[in-house]
């Protein structure tokens, strides 16, 4: 009895669906050159961060931690330091040091020109940031710069008022009932009430810087907004504005980061000089009056007037693009 040999098809294993098993199928042909590779189901690994980029991220993080402390918190700390330290030093004078000399370099070339330094650096910072989030709209940029104009006006008016107070209020050393002219005519010494101009100036500069740098909170989110809106078929912004925003954001961000570093160092120097003023110069009342005038200007502008939006410069970060957390 002869046995018939099975054909090749009879030897091939079948799966339950009646088709040849995958193990016997030939491998799929390779994809043509330039074809997209199908996703493998794994997340792509981002490129490693360079040392330079890591340092920039670290420095910016530290600057934000210093600059973005709530302004009201800073103001309360300043008033507490003025009150507590002045009460102590009025009774127990602090040992003299480099900062007790009014002719020291920092006092002569930085503090006395404090509003000039602050206004110049903040002017450049406001121009670059507002030019970015306002998509190059010159009218809106000029409107944001008007905040510095009010700050300058408040500084000028207060310094003139302090001169009037100094000439009008004080005491005669030998006779408290005499006014200034009668005291000086009688040959006595008149001690004017000298409002601490340094305390006013330094607190004023610190409060304005604290408010203006708030626009950097979430600054990197602008890049996310650009990519999201450009890929959306129902974008909230015109394509021309997004294209302009992309160009300005890429060009201005490195400059803005440099200015953030400079403004952080300037703020730290102003706080150091405020501490030296509290330790060595004026009495408690004179320093408190100076700080109160600075706080009054901040309250009128940033806490009241600028929040109206219409017919005001508005607050920092308010523009065409909504990227700050409170604006999104």
């Amino acid at each position: 009895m002869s046995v018939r040999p099975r054909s090749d098809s009879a030897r091939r294993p079948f799966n339950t669906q009646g088709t040849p098993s995958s193990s016997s199928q030939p491998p799929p042909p390779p994809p043509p050159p330039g074809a997209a590779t199908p996703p493998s189901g794994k997340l792509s690994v981002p490129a490693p961060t360079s040392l330079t980029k890591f340092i920039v991220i670290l420095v910016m993080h530290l600057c934000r931690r210093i600059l973005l402390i709530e302004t009201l918190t800073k103001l309360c700390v300043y008033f507490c330091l003025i009150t507590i330290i002045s009460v102590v030093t009025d009774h127990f004078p602090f040992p003299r040091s480099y900062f007790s000399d009014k002719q020291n370099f920092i006092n002569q070339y930085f503090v006395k020109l404090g509003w000039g330094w602050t206004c110049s650096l903040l002017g450049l910072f406001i121009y670059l940031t507002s030019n970015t989030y306002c998509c190059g709209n010159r009218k809106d940029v000029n409107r944001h710069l008007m905040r510095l104009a009010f700050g300058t006006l408040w500084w000028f008016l207060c310094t003139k008022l302090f001169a009037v107070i100094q000439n009008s209020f004080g005491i005669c050393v030998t006779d408290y009932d005499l006014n200034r002219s009668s005291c000086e005519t009688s040959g006595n010494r008149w001690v004017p009430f000298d409002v601490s101009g340094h305390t006013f100036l330094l607190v004023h500069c610190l409060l304005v810087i604290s408010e203006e740098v708030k626009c950097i909170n979430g600054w990197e989110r602008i890049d996310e907004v650009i990519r999201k809106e450009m890929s959306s078929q129902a974008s909230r912004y015109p394509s021309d504005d997004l294209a302009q925003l992309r160009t300005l954001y890429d060009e201005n961000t490195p400059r803005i980061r440099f200015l953030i570093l400079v403004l952080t160092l300037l703020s730290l120097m102003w706080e150091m000089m405020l501490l030296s003023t509290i330790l060595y110069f004026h009495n408690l009342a004179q320093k408190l009056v100076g700080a109160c005038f600075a706080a009054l200007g901040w309250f009128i502008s940033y806490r009241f007037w600028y929040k109206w939006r219409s017919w005001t410069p508005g607050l920092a970060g308010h523009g065409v693009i909504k990227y700050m957390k409170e604006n999104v």
Side-chain angles (χ1 to χ4, degrees):
M1 180 177 177
S2 61
V3 180
R4 294 176 58 189
R6 290 184 299 176
S7 62
D8 292 342
S9 60
R11 297 193 191 101
R12 295 172 64 183
F14 283 77
N15 57 21
T16 56
Q17 283 76 21
T19 58
S21 64
S22 59
S23 60
S24 62
Q25 292 179 353
T37 304
S40 61
K42 296 181 179 180
L43 295 176
S44 60
V45 178
T49 303
S50 65
L51 179 60
T52 303
K53 187 175 181 180
F54 172 76
I55 294 175
V56 170
I57 293 173
L58 179 61
V59 171
M60 288 298 102
H61 175 73
L62 294 175
C63 290
R64 283 184 169 92
R65 292 296 297 269
I66 294 171
L67 291 175
L68 295 180
I69 298 174
E70 177 58 37
T71 309
L72 184 59
T73 301
K74 289 184 179 181
L75 185 61
C76 292
V77 171
Y78 298 153
F79 271 102
C80 288
L81 290 176
I82 291 171
T83 304
I84 296 172
I85 296 178
S86 296
V87 168
V88 174
T89 55
D90 283 352
H91 295 85
F92 305 98
F94 199 76
R96 298 187 65 80
S97 68
Y98 172 80
F99 294 101
S100 63
D101 182 10
K102 292 182 179 180
Q103 303 303 318
N104 70 71
F105 180 83
I106 298 178
N107 187 62
Q108 289 294 315
Y109 296 98
F110 285 94
V111 178
K112 289 190 175 181
L113 303 173
W115 183 244
W117 286 106
T118 302
C119 196
S120 299
L121 291 171
L122 273 183
L124 183 57
F125 177 80
I126 294 172
Y127 174 78
L128 291 176
T129 52
S130 62
N131 193 42
T132 301
Y133 58 73
C134 291
C135 300
N137 188 308
R138 292 298 180 89
K139 182 178 179 181
D140 289 341
V141 173
N142 292 335
R143 179 171 55 85
H144 282 286
L145 287 171
M146 286 299 295
R147 290 193 298 272
L148 283 184
F150 176 81
T152 303
L153 177 63
W154 185 257
W155 164 78
F156 177 80
L157 293 176
C158 287
T159 53
K160 295 300 181 183
L161 178 61
F162 295 161
V164 173
I165 293 174
Q166 185 175 3
N167 291 327
S168 305
F169 298 93
I171 57 173
C172 189
V173 174
T174 56
D175 190 347
Y176 293 167
D177 295 330
L178 296 178
N179 57 30
R180 180 170 186 169
S181 59
S182 301
C183 180
E184 292 176 345
T185 302
S186 61
N188 296 314
R189 186 167 67 92
W190 176 260
V191 180
F193 184 83
D194 185 15
V195 178
S196 178
H198 273 43
T199 302
F200 161 76
L201 174 63
L202 293 169
V203 175
H204 178 58
C205 291
L206 286 166
L207 294 179
V208 173
I209 292 174
S210 180
E211 290 291 342
E212 293 299 334
V213 297
K214 286 183 177 180
C215 65
I216 67 172
N217 188 15
W219 183 260
E220 285 72 17
R221 195 179 180 279
I222 294 179
D223 184 59
E224 178 186 338
V225 172
I226 295 172
R227 288 187 285 105
K228 181 180 178 181
E229 294 296 331
M230 281 186 167
S231 62
S232 174
Q233 296 182 351
S235 175
R236 295 175 294 172
Y237 310 108
S239 58
D240 291 344
D241 285 350
L242 290 175
Q244 180 78 344
L245 178 63
R246 166 55 69 192
T247 302
L248 293 171
Y249 177 79
D250 293 339
E251 289 180 353
N252 292 336
T253 295
R255 304 165 186 168
I256 291 169
R257 286 173 176 165
F258 175 75
L259 285 172
I260 290 171
L261 175 60
V262 175
L263 287 170
T264 303
L265 297 176
L266 185 68
S267 296
L268 292 175
M269 182 171 64
W270 287 165
E271 289 177 340
M272 179 184 66
M273 296 309 294
L274 176 62
L275 180 60
S276 70
T277 300
I278 297 171
L279 287 171
Y280 295 112
F281 306 105
H282 299 277
N283 58 37
L284 173 61
Q286 294 167 346
K287 286 177 279 195
L288 280 178
V289 171
C292 285
F293 273 99
L296 179 62
W298 165 76
F299 180 82
I300 292 173
S301 55
Y302 290 95
R303 287 285 170 148
F304 182 67
W305 181 35
Y306 297 163
K307 290 186 175 182
W308 287 356
R309 298 290 184 92
S310 59
W311 301 100
T312 74
L315 293 170
H318 290 222
V320 176
I321 301 299
K322 310 300 181 184
Y323 68 96
M324 298 177 68
K325 291 182 179 179
E326 60 270 23
N327 292 340
V328 177

